[in-house]
């Protein structure tokens, strides 16, 4: 049930949610050079969604974010398997990654690495699994 | 194609991930699962041909050279096991269609089934000790889900036991790997072997013997050898027939494979101690398994105790460590995977027909189900090792190796165990299939035609495997040859 007088929490959430999600994305993208990566980034994003769940109830959160987290897990898996299996098409060993430098108009020189897509898969799997666990226990009567 | 040996891992993994998205569409799931299973079989077959032609295949993941990255290694031993696993997976899969029930099929049965195959194939193929641990966990987590799926009371109770035992043994596995890593400083199996043989030039130091014992405890818990089998009779009693067939045929054999791999590759320097203990424990496993198989009047329990006997026989073959006994052990391992799957599937059909697994409550099935009866009869003979069938050659070689190794008493026990194993399965045949028709009067006979296909395939393969043993023996002895000469393995991986 949604609490009627939860104004402080709801207002705080509107501010905090942005920062938590931004920070989790920062941690995810910085994983190659600094501590971080897909696992901790995914956990933190899931943490943000859990904060939503604490503030509102499960139905409202389902309305805000209409995703089936089991599918998120499967998509994450497919991302990771797909990037690794891409090596098969080039006849190099499985899991071989490539990187290249790309000149992007605003951001300048970026080193893009296929390992990031692998990590994106990890990120999705972690979100999917965490949220499936929490929602399944939460919905249980 | 460089990536050939990863296909038996990659295909089920991809299938599992895709099937998660299709969990409500049962037909689509079945079709995709069968197709991928056939694909895995074909890939495994080509791996065997490739290894037979060109020797041991190794693949460095991510193009990192051998001791630094993860290496997958397919020698003949693992290639044969991967192929057998794919056949068993295919057969259990088509058996599941008619027996597992729509409810389970909607709740991710097929994805988890595929992940189990990923774990087993991965554990057979990997050349890295920690990667072996990870694949063990993939396999075990899938087995937890398959064990509990359905949620009946007995399944819930037994999964708790199974979980506890396996979590403890996995923790021990990590500790054992940590010890070994602190001693040799590497995780690549070939590299570990090389370093160990450098350290033990003047006899194996005590710490390595301790680590060898720890690995025996860890893999013994997974593979159910003598003092560590206590969890198995209960846990394997709970799941439905196709899952039980998968467990009985694959899971304990991964433990046996790991013991064989670690003992022949790492710890062969202090044979007097380590292999002596392995030999004693395996003979005790045979004794205990036979006692259990004779004691029970429950069809499932009898076959479950026969797993322990078979594990004992295989490990005894490994512990003798001469060419004949190793060839016998590899041959018997493949035979036992096939025949145990067949027997458990047959037991599943028996339970569907009679509604009970208690042998005292039914008899006279022969009249209504002659096909089932004769399939069971042949499977029972194959299990005991009657000459034209597949159990014979393996056991013959193991016993021959035992006599060559001058351990007459142990080899005698292996011989004697065949007789008692035959007695335990014939007890099922005589009491269940012969005699007065007491259960089926007036009731409608459940049709089991479709279900019977899978065990018939298994028994046919077993007969083929036994009759044409001279076709298979070159492959088997190639596998035993790698086990006897770890140098070949090291050379193939480290490419020196």
């Amino acid at each position: 049930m949604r609490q009627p007088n939860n104004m402080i929490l709801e207002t705080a959430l509107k501010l905090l949610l942005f920062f938590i999600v931004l920070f989790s994305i920062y941690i995810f993208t910085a994983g190659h050079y600094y501590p971080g990566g897909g696992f901790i980034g995914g956990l933190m994003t899931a943490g943000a969604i859990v904060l939503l769940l604490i503030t509102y109830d499960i139905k409202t959160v389902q309305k805000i974010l209409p995703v089936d987290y089991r599918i998120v897990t499967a998509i994450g898996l497919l991302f990771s398997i797909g990037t690794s299996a891409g090596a098969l098409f080039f006849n190099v060993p499985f899991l071989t990654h490539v990187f290249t430098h790309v000149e992007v108009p605003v951001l300048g020189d970026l080193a893009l690495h296929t390992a990031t897509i692998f990590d994106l898969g990890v990120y999705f799997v972690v979100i999917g699994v965490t949220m499936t666990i929490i929602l399944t226990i939460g919905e249980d009567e | 194609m460089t990536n050939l040996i990863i296909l038996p891992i990659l295909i089920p993994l991809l299938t599992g991930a895709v099937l998660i998205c299709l969990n409500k569409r049962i037909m689509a799931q079945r079709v995709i699962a069968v197709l991928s299973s056939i694909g895995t079989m074909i890939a495994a077959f080509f791996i065997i041909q490739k290894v037979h032609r060109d020797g041991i295949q190794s693949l460095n993941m991510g193009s990192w050279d051998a001791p630094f990255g993860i290496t997958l290694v397919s020698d003949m031993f693992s290639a044969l096991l991967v192929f057998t696993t794919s056949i068993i997976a295919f057969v259990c899969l088509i058996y599941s269609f008619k027996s597992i029930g729509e409810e389970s099929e909607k709740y991710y049965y097929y994805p988890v089934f595929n992940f189990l195959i990923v774990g087993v194939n991965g554990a057979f193929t990997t050349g890295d000790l920690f990667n072996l641990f990870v694949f063990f966990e993939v396999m075990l987590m899938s087995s937890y889900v398959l064990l509990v799926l359905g949620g009946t009371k007995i399944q819930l109770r037994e999964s708790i036991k199974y979980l506890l035992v396996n979590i403890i043994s996995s923790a021990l596995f990590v500790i054992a790997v940590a010890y070994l890593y602190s001693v040799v400083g590497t995780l690549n199996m070939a590299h570990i072997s090389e370093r160990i043989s450098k350290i033990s030039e003047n006899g194996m130091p005590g710490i390595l013997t301790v680590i060898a014992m720890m690995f025996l405890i860890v893999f013994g818990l997974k593979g159910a050898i003598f003092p560590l089998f206590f969890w198995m009779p209960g846990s394997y009693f709970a799941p439905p027939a196709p899952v039980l067939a998968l467990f009985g045929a694959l899971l304990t054999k991964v433990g046996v494979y790991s013991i064989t791999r670690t003992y022949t590759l790492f710890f062969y320097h202090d044979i007097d101690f380590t292999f002596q203990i392995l030999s004693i424990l395996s003979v005790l496993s045979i004794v205990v398994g036979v006692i259990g198989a004779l004691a029970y009047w429950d069809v499932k329990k009898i076959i479950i105790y026969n797993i322990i006997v078979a594990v004992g026989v295989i490990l005894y073959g490994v512990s003798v460590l001469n060419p004949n006994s190793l060839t016998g052990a590899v041959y018997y391992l493949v035979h036992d995977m096939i025949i145990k799957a067949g027997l458990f599937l047959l037991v599943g059909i028996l339970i569907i027909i009679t509604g009970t697994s208690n042998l005292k409550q039914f008899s006279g099935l022969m009249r209504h189900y002659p096909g089932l009866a004769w399939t069971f009869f042949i499977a029972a003979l194959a299990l005991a090792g009657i000459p034209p069938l597949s159990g014979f050659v393996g056991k013959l070689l193991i016993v021959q190796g035992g006599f060559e190794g001058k351990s007459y008493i142990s080899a005698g026990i292996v011989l004697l165990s065949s007789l008692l194993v035959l007695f335990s399965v014939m007890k099922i045949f005589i009491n269940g299939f012969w005699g007065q028709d007491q259960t089926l009067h007036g009731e409608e006979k459940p049709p089991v035609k479709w279900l019977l296909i899978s065990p018939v395939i298994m028994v046919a393969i077993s007969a083929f495997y036994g009759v044409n043993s001279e076709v298979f023996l070159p492959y088997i002895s190639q596998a035993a040859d790698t086990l006897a000469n770890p140098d070949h393995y090291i050379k193939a991986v480290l490419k020196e």
Side-chain angles (χ1 to χ4, degrees), chain A residues 70 74 81 91-96, chain B residues 2-3 6 14 60 62-63 108:
Chain A
R70 287 164 200 178
I81 303 168
N91 209 24
V92 286
F94 187 77
L95 267 172
T96 304
Chain B
T2 38
N3 284 298
I6 200 167
L14 201 60
N60 295 322
S63 309
Y108 305 98

Side-chain angles (χ1 to χ4, degrees), chain A residues 68 70-71 73-75 77-78 81-82 84-85 87-97, chain B residues 1-3 6-7 10 13-14 16-18 20-23 59-63 107-108 115:
Chain A
D68 182 349
R70 287 164 200 178
I71 304 290
T73 315
I75 289 172
L77 272 177
L78 288 175
I81 303 168
S84 317
L88 263 64
F89 295 109
F90 302 97
N91 209 24
V92 286
F94 187 77
L95 267 172
T96 304
H97 289 286
Chain B
M1 185 167 155
T2 38
N3 284 298
I6 200 167
L7 288 181
L10 184 61
L13 180 62
L14 201 60
V18 170
I20 294 176
C21 307
L22 298 170
N23 71 315
L59 173 66
N60 295 322
M61 298 282 89
S63 309
Y107 279 91
Y108 305 98
F115 290 136

Side-chain angles (χ1 to χ4, degrees), chain A residues 33-72:
Chain A
Y33 296 104
Y34 304 99
F39 183 76
I40 186 68
L43 268 186
M44 207 171 276
T45 311
I49 304 173
V50 169
L51 194 61
L52 262 179
L53 273 172
I54 291 172
T55 316
Y56 303 108
D57 57 331
I58 289 181
K59 272 185 192 145
T60 322
V61 174
Q62 270 300 334
K63 215 176 280 168
I64 302 169
L65 282 172
V67 246
D68 182 349
Y69 289 102
R70 287 164 200 178
I71 304 290
V72 173

Side-chain angles (χ1 to χ4, degrees), chain A residues 111-122:
Chain A
L112 295 182
H113 200 299
T114 48
T116 316
I117 309 174
F118 187 91
D119 226 23
L120 194 66
V122 176

Side-chain angles (χ1 to χ4, degrees), chain B residues 111-176:
Chain B
V112 179
F113 187 103
N114 274 294
F115 290 136
L116 184 84
I117 302 304
V118 173
V120 174
N121 280 346
F124 285 147
T125 315
T126 185
D128 183 282
L129 204 53
F130 198 77
N131 201 230
L132 179 68
F133 169 74
V134 174
F135 277 123
F136 257 100
E137 287 305 302
V138 171
M139 173 185 95
L140 288 172
M141 296 212 182
S142 322
S143 73
Y144 304 150
V145 180
L146 287 179
L147 184 57
V148 84
L149 196 66
T152 58
K153 205 170 164 188
I154 179 173
Q155 283 178 307
L156 293 173
R157 189 184 68 217
E158 295 303 335
S159 340
I160 290 178
K161 288 186 199 164
Y162 183 71
L163 254 167
L164 272 177
V165 168
N166 278 305
I167 286 174
I168 290 169
S169 76
S170 296
L172 277 175
F173 194 172
V174 176
I175 294 169

